[in-house]
Amino acid sequence: VKVIDAENQPFDPSFHQAVTQVESDEHPENTVTSVLQKGYLLHDRLIRPAMVVVSKKALKETEKSKEN
């Protein structure tokens, strides 16, 4: 059994289950920022995807006001 290395990796829906997104200037867009539950592979077959938080582009104040 191998643990899926997900943190700071690009989001891959084949191995990751996105639970939520967080605005971030520190991480590129669609990057796993944290792992909520580890995922596992058995002989290169997915047993359980990693439950992760994915980064998204941080909105500027002018973009936020346009949304409201």
Side-chain angles (χ1 to χ4, degrees):
V1 175
K2 291 191 292 186
V3 175
I4 296 172
D5 182 28
E7 195 154 352
N8 296 319
Q9 300 295 320
F11 175 72
D12 183 353
S14 300
F15 298 104
H16 307 138
Q17 179 180 355
V19 177
T20 188
Q21 287 186 314
V22 65
E23 291 183 358
S24 175
D25 289 327
E26 300 171 10
H27 301 286
E29 194 168 13
N30 292 323
T31 300
V32 175
T33 59
S34 62
V35 177
L36 303 176
Q37 185 178 48
K38 291 180 182 179
Y40 297 97
L41 296 170
L42 178 63
H43 303 292
D44 297 324
R45 291 188 60 178
L46 183 67
I47 296 175
R48 179 175 76 187
M51 292 176 57
V52 298
V53 177
V54 180
S55 67
K56 67 178 180 178
K57 182 179 165 185
L59 294 177
K60 296 180 176 90
E61 290 299 320
T62 56
E63 293 173 340
K64 287 180 182 178
S65 63
K66 288 179 185 177
E67 286 185 352
N68 294 330

